[in-house]
Amino acid sequence: MIAKISEIFKSIQGEGIYQGVEQVFVRFFGCNLACAYCDTRVFCHEEKTLEELMQQITAYGDYHSVSFTGGEPLLQAAFLKEALKSLKRLNKITYLETNGVLYNALWEVIEYCDIISMDFKLPSSTLERALWDEHREFLKVAKTKEVFVKAVIGKDTQLYDITKSIEIIKAVSPKTTFILQPQHPFEEELAEKLAVFEKICQEHGITVEIVSQLHKQLGIK
Ligand code: SF4
């Protein structure tokens, strides 16, 4: 079994509710989306066997968890499942960073995921088509484990996309935390917009946090 992997490295988690914890990152190659703000487009990869991947991960010593990221890791679900399974056998914490669309693939691996960081791709931020139905189905599966939802907020992000996100979270998994992630670099005009979005989430009883990308601020990977 072989996977296309762009990079493997140890660093700190820069986003979401686990910001600051030390992780080993496995970046899978390729994505099914094309978000306007994407900063992880890579054009090269290596092919790795499961044994090669596990050897590299275990060589890192101590860390909080292993983060499978991308691109979109669920595009290579069969390999991902085996990697997650191997890590659970070693009692490691597994963390899946995903664009929150491929819910059938999530079914295949959910048993071996501990933490899921899923995106809501807001059309006014991504400048792509709406994916609300996919996100709703994905969250239904993800909520069987620890999950939080993250959305990138840019200066063009529209209130409608926030109210739609709130509607889905309330209907599917009302206790799930919603992370508003300002697009990097932070522009002052975004502060007011974030405050308005945060207040609306709170008024609907959603746990909301504004979390900037720490690794970008620190200039690390
Ligand atoms: S889902 Fe992530 S990796 Fe894929 S295009 Fe969007 S930002 Fe980039």
Side-chain angles (χ1 to χ4, degrees):
M1 189 172 266
I2 283 175
K4 292 179 177 175
I5 291 177
S6 303
E7 55 182 347
I8 303 167
F9 57 98
K10 187 171 166 181
S11 185
I12 57 164
Q13 174 57 246
E15 301 177 351
I17 60 179
Y18 281 88
Q19 189 180 69
V21 304
E22 201 170 32
Q23 293 185 319
V24 173
F25 291 82
V26 180
R27 187 179 300 289
F28 279 68
F29 177 74
C31 189
N32 51 325
L33 302 182
C35 309
Y37 53 75
C38 183
D39 59 0
T40 52
R41 266 182 212 113
V42 284
F43 301 99
C44 54
H45 64 270
E46 282 183 41
E47 296 199 334
K48 291 216 179 278
T49 64
L50 185 61
E51 292 69 30
E52 287 168 339
L53 175 66
M54 290 307 296
Q55 257 174 21
Q56 257 183 280
I57 292 174
T58 46
Y60 280 111
D62 289 340
Y63 44 82
H64 172 272
S65 45
V66 179
S67 174
F68 291 91
T69 185
E72 175 48 56
L74 287 170
L75 284 175
Q76 301 182 68
F79 184 97
L80 176 64
K81 182 177 180 176
E82 294 310 313
L84 290 166
K85 220 193 269 187
S86 302
L87 287 165
K88 290 318 296 171
R89 266 190 233 114
L90 298 173
N91 287 321
K92 299 292 185 189
I93 300 173
T94 58
Y95 183 107
L96 177 64
E97 289 192 286
T98 165
N99 57 33
V101 170
L102 302 173
Y103 52 89
N104 286 325
L106 182 64
W107 267 121
E108 293 177 38
V109 305
I110 188 78
E111 183 181 351
Y112 307 104
C113 295
D114 294 312
I115 304 161
I116 300 166
S117 163
M118 71 170 283
D119 289 347
F120 272 8
K121 295 297 186 185
L122 313 185
S124 56
S125 297
T126 62
L127 308 184
E128 289 290 307
R129 77 172 176 90
L131 295 159
W132 302 120
D133 290 343
E134 290 88 340
H135 289 327
R136 186 181 298 105
E137 293 308 308
F138 198 98
L139 185 55
K140 283 181 190 170
V141 185
K143 74 172 184 180
T144 59
K145 295 297 180 84
E146 182 180 343
V147 60
F148 64 91
V149 172
K150 178 164 62 66
V152 172
I153 310 297
K155 59 181 174 27
D156 296 323
T157 305
Q158 298 296 310
L159 178 58
Y160 170 80
D161 286 345
I162 300 301
T163 53
K164 190 71 191 169
S165 301
I166 291 170
E167 179 193 313
I168 293 173
I169 293 171
K170 276 177 87 170
V172 177
S173 184
K175 290 199 162 41
T176 293
T177 299
F178 189 27
I179 303 288
L180 305 179
Q181 180 175 292
Q183 199 171 331
H184 185 84
F186 187 84
E187 293 174 19
E188 272 312 310
E189 59 187 293
L190 211 50
E192 200 178 323
K193 182 169 273 210
L194 283 161
V196 171
F197 292 170
E198 183 184 37
K199 188 160 178 283
I200 288 167
C201 291
Q202 287 164 343
E203 284 169 358
H204 282 269
I206 301 286
T207 305
V208 60
E209 288 180 38
I210 298 170
V211 183
S212 299
Q213 290 172 294
L214 183 65
H215 54 299
K216 295 272 178 64
Q217 290 169 348
L218 298 177
I220 60 173
K221 205 176 336 185

